[in-house]
Coordinates of all heavy atoms in Angstrom, one line a residue:
D88 N 121.8 106.3 123.1 CA 120.5 106.8 122.7 C 119.8 105.9 121.6 O 118.7 106.0 121.3 CB 120.5 108.2 122.2 CG 120.7 109.2 123.3 OD1 120.5 108.8 124.5 OD2 121.0 110.4 123.1
D89 N 120.6 105.0 121.0 CA 120.1 104.1 120.0 C 119.4 102.9 120.6 O 118.8 102.1 119.9 CB 121.2 103.7 119.0 CG 121.8 104.8 118.2 OD1 121.0 105.7 117.7 OD2 123.0 104.9 118.0
T90 N 119.6 102.8 121.9 CA 118.9 101.6 122.6 C 117.4 101.7 122.4 O 116.8 102.7 122.7 CB 119.3 101.7 124.1 OG1 120.7 101.5 124.2 CG2 118.5 100.6 124.8
A91 N 116.9 100.6 121.9 CA 115.5 100.5 121.5 C 115.1 99.1 121.0 O 116.0 98.3 120.7 CB 115.1 101.5 120.5
V92 N 113.9 98.9 120.9 CA 113.4 97.7 120.2 C 113.2 98.2 118.7 O 112.5 99.2 118.4 CB 112.1 97.1 120.7 CG1 111.6 96.0 119.8 CG2 112.3 96.7 122.1
Y93 N 113.8 97.5 117.8 CA 113.8 97.8 116.4 C 112.8 96.9 115.7 O 112.9 95.7 115.8 CB 115.2 97.7 115.8 CG 116.1 98.8 116.2 CD1 116.6 98.9 117.5 CD2 116.5 99.8 115.2 CE1 117.4 100.0 117.8 CE2 117.3 100.9 115.6 CZ 117.7 101.0 116.9 OH 118.5 102.0 117.2
Y94 N 111.9 97.5 114.9 CA 110.9 96.8 114.2 C 111.1 97.0 112.7 O 111.2 98.1 112.2 CB 109.5 97.3 114.6 CG 109.1 97.1 116.0 CD1 109.4 98.1 117.0 CD2 108.5 96.0 116.5 CE1 109.1 98.0 118.3 CE2 108.2 95.8 117.8 CZ 108.5 96.8 118.7 OH 108.1 96.6 120.0
C95 N 111.0 95.9 112.0 CA 110.9 95.9 110.6 C 109.5 96.0 110.2 O 108.6 95.5 110.8 CB 111.5 94.6 110.1 SG 111.3 94.3 108.3
N96 N 109.2 96.7 109.1 CA 107.9 96.7 108.5 C 107.9 96.8 107.0 O 108.9 97.3 106.4 CB 107.1 97.9 109.1 CG 107.3 99.2 108.5 OD1 108.4 99.8 108.6 ND2 106.3 99.7 107.7
I97 N 106.9 96.3 106.4 CA 106.8 96.3 105.0 C 105.4 96.7 104.6 O 104.4 96.5 105.3 CB 107.2 95.0 104.3 CG1 106.1 93.9 104.6 CG2 108.6 94.5 104.7 CD1 106.3 92.7 103.7
R98 N 105.3 97.3 103.4 CA 104.0 97.4 102.8 C 104.0 96.6 101.5 O 104.9 96.8 100.7 CB 103.6 98.9 102.5 CG 102.3 99.1 101.9 CD 101.9 100.5 101.7 NE 100.6 100.7 101.0 CZ 100.1 101.9 100.7 NH1 100.8 103.0 100.9 NH2 98.9 101.9 100.1
A99 N 103.1 95.7 101.3 CA 103.2 94.8 100.2 C 101.8 94.5 99.6 O 100.8 94.7 100.2 CB 103.8 93.5 100.6
L100 N 101.8 94.0 98.3 CA 100.6 93.4 97.7 C 100.7 91.9 97.9 O 101.8 91.3 97.6 CB 100.6 93.8 96.2 CG 100.1 95.2 95.9 CD1 100.2 95.4 94.4 CD2 98.7 95.4 96.3
T101 N 99.7 91.3 98.4 CA 99.7 89.9 98.5 C 99.3 89.3 97.1 O 98.9 89.9 96.2 CB 98.7 89.4 99.5 OG1 97.3 89.7 99.0 CG2 98.9 90.1 100.9

Side-chain angles (χ1 to χ4, degrees):
D88 285 348
D89 295 318
T90 295
V92 177
Y93 284 71
Y94 296 91
C95 171
N96 81 292
I97 69 168
R98 182 176 177 184
L100 281 176
T101 68

